[in-house]
Amino acid sequence: MSKTRTLAKEAAFKLLQSGQRPTAERVRAAIGQGAQQTILGALDEFWQEIGERLREPRLPDPLVEPVMTLWSQAVGTAASQWQTERKELEARIGALESREQTLTLELNEVTEARGRAETAAATAETLNAELQQELNEQRAERQTLQGEADRLSREATQTGELLKNERDARDRDQAAWLQQIDAARQATKTALAERDRLAKELNEAREARTRQEVLLAQADDRRKELTATLASRTQAFSAAQARAAAAERQAEDLDSQLERTSAIAEALKAQLRSGDETSKEMTERFDSLKLERERLVAENRTLRDELSVLRARREEFEISVQRALGQLERRVGPHAETEDDPAASPTLDRIPKT
């Protein structure tokens, strides 16, 4: 038997003597050591030994039954407490196992992190070696650049002397250039004055052209107005000429009718001479025909007078149109002759004549 089991049994017996129920926590607190399973096994053996002692025949008969009853109650109570404590212990064991799994996972993560850190450290060492090598190369390059800088400094000194000489020559050239610039400025001022004069003349020419365009527009409006008037009067004259032609044809018809009437009158006169019985009737008819002839002659004379008046008015209208067109051509000038459409301007040749 191990020492832990012996100590656990002794502690359980002392707890039982003090009136306390021996449990795994109390026993472990009393002895201060031992695993949970070992203490539980020792308690099982302790209760088994207590039972064997209680079954021994050394007890008096009157005490056997009370002791057995007490023992049964103690065993039942101990079993109930044992089940409760066992469930609690199993729950704690499950929690500890979960905690152990969590710690295992954390340990794995820490191990992986450590591996990554070691890898990073190795990489850093490699990088450090590369940087050290690069630093050595840069130092060598720096020495080379320092020598190059010294050489460039010497060349800069020489270049400064050359630049000073060039600057002196440039100052001399600049003085000559300034004189040329002054001369060019004077020439520019003269050219600007000439340009202003030409611009002024150009503005005056533009204003004159604008006035001429206004006059041309007015003349064109007047020409259009006269053209419209001429067209309307030409149309009226054509209508009057048509009426005059109709009147002339009517006059010719009246002349022919008058001739026929005269012939009839002569025939009637002959009949009057040959027949006395109808002389009075024929005389009246002759008088009526004579009156009709005089009326037709007067009407023909009136129509001829109207035709003469229309012809006189036509001649006056042609003269006024010719004067208006002459004034329009003098105002418009050659510019209007090139721009206007000759077919759009009516002339006297387009006016119908009788």
Side-chain angles (χ1 to χ4, degrees):
M1 183 180 296
S2 64
K3 183 179 179 181
T4 303
R5 286 179 177 272
T6 302
L7 293 175
K9 289 179 180 181
E10 291 177 356
F13 186 74
K14 290 179 180 180
L15 288 171
L16 186 60
Q17 286 179 347
S18 64
Q20 297 180 5
R21 184 176 60 83
T23 61
E25 287 81 3
R26 291 174 181 175
V27 171
R28 194 176 190 286
I31 64 177
Q33 64 179 4
Q36 191 77 12
Q37 296 296 331
T38 303
I39 294 173
L40 291 174
L43 287 175
D44 291 339
E45 293 177 357
F46 170 74
W47 290 114
Q48 186 177 1
E49 291 176 358
I50 292 297
E52 290 177 353
R53 290 179 182 179
L54 291 175
R55 286 195 297 270
E56 291 181 354
R58 289 177 297 178
L59 292 174
D61 293 335
L63 294 177
V64 172
E65 186 175 354
V67 170
M68 292 299 293
T69 302
L70 179 62
W71 174 251
S72 298
Q73 292 177 356
V75 170
T77 303
S80 177
Q81 292 178 356
W82 161 246
Q83 293 295 331
T84 302
E85 291 180 358
R86 183 176 182 178
K87 291 180 180 179
E88 292 177 356
L89 290 174
E90 288 177 353
R92 290 183 63 185
I93 290 171
L96 290 173
E97 289 178 353
S98 300
R99 178 61 178 169
E100 182 181 3
Q101 292 177 358
T102 303
L103 292 175
T104 302
L105 294 175
E106 291 179 356
L107 180 61
N108 293 332
E109 292 178 356
V110 171
T111 303
E112 292 177 358
R114 181 180 178 183
R116 290 193 296 270
E118 290 176 353
T119 304
T123 305
E125 290 178 358
T126 304
L127 182 60
N128 188 17
E130 293 177 356
L131 292 175
Q132 186 65 32
Q133 183 178 359
E134 186 177 355
L135 179 61
N136 295 330
E137 293 176 356
Q138 288 181 357
R139 286 176 180 174
E141 186 177 359
R142 180 180 178 184
Q143 292 177 358
T144 304
L145 292 175
Q146 185 65 35
E148 186 69 18
D150 295 338
R151 184 181 63 81
L152 291 175
S153 178
R154 291 191 298 270
E155 291 180 357
T157 303
Q158 297 175 0
T159 305
E161 294 177 356
L162 294 175
L163 182 61
K164 182 178 180 182
N165 296 330
E166 290 290 336
R167 189 175 296 169
D168 295 337
R170 187 189 63 182
D171 292 338
R172 292 190 297 271
D173 294 338
Q174 187 175 5
W177 292 344
L178 290 175
Q179 293 178 359
Q180 294 178 2
I181 289 172
D182 292 336
R185 285 178 179 174
Q186 294 297 329
T188 303
K189 289 181 180 179
T190 304
L192 289 174
E194 183 67 18
R195 187 192 66 179
D196 294 337
R197 184 181 64 79
L198 293 176
K200 184 177 180 181
E201 292 179 357
L202 180 60
N203 291 329
E204 292 177 355
R206 287 177 178 174
E207 292 176 357
R209 181 180 178 183
T210 303
R211 291 193 296 271
Q212 185 178 5
E213 289 177 353
V214 172
L215 292 175
L216 287 174
Q218 294 176 355
D220 187 62
D221 294 338
R222 180 60 179 169
R223 180 181 62 81
K224 291 179 180 179
E225 183 180 355
L226 291 174
T227 302
T229 304
L230 179 60
S232 61
R233 291 187 179 182
T234 301
Q235 186 177 3
F237 179 75
S238 298
Q241 189 175 8
R243 290 195 301 271
E248 189 173 359
R249 287 193 299 272
Q250 187 177 3
E252 291 176 356
D253 294 337
L254 291 175
D255 288 337
S256 61
Q257 187 177 1
L258 182 60
E259 290 177 358
R260 289 194 301 272
T261 303
S262 299
I264 293 171
E266 292 296 334
L268 290 174
K269 286 181 180 180
Q271 290 179 2
L272 286 174
R273 294 189 192 97
S274 61
D276 293 334
E277 64 276 4
T278 58
S279 60
K280 185 177 181 180
E281 182 180 356
M282 296 301 295
T283 301
E284 292 177 356
R285 188 175 180 183
F286 176 76
D287 292 337
S288 63
L289 291 173
K290 186 177 181 180
L291 292 174
E292 182 68 19
R293 178 177 178 278
E294 291 176 354
R295 185 183 65 78
L296 292 174
V297 170
E299 187 175 355
N300 189 11
R301 188 180 296 109
T302 302
L303 291 174
R304 290 181 182 275
D305 293 338
E306 290 179 357
L307 182 60
S308 299
V309 172
L310 289 174
R311 288 176 178 174
R313 289 181 179 177
R314 178 179 179 276
E315 292 176 356
E316 293 177 357
F317 180 70
E318 289 178 353
I319 293 171
S320 63
V321 169
Q322 288 177 355
R323 290 177 180 176
L325 290 176
Q327 293 177 359
L328 181 61
E329 290 177 355
R330 286 192 298 274
R331 288 183 180 180
V332 174
H335 178 70
E337 292 178 359
T338 57
E339 292 183 354
D340 293 339
D341 186 6
S345 301
T347 59
L348 294 177
D349 295 335
R350 300 177 61 186
I351 301 174
K353 296 182 180 180
T354 57

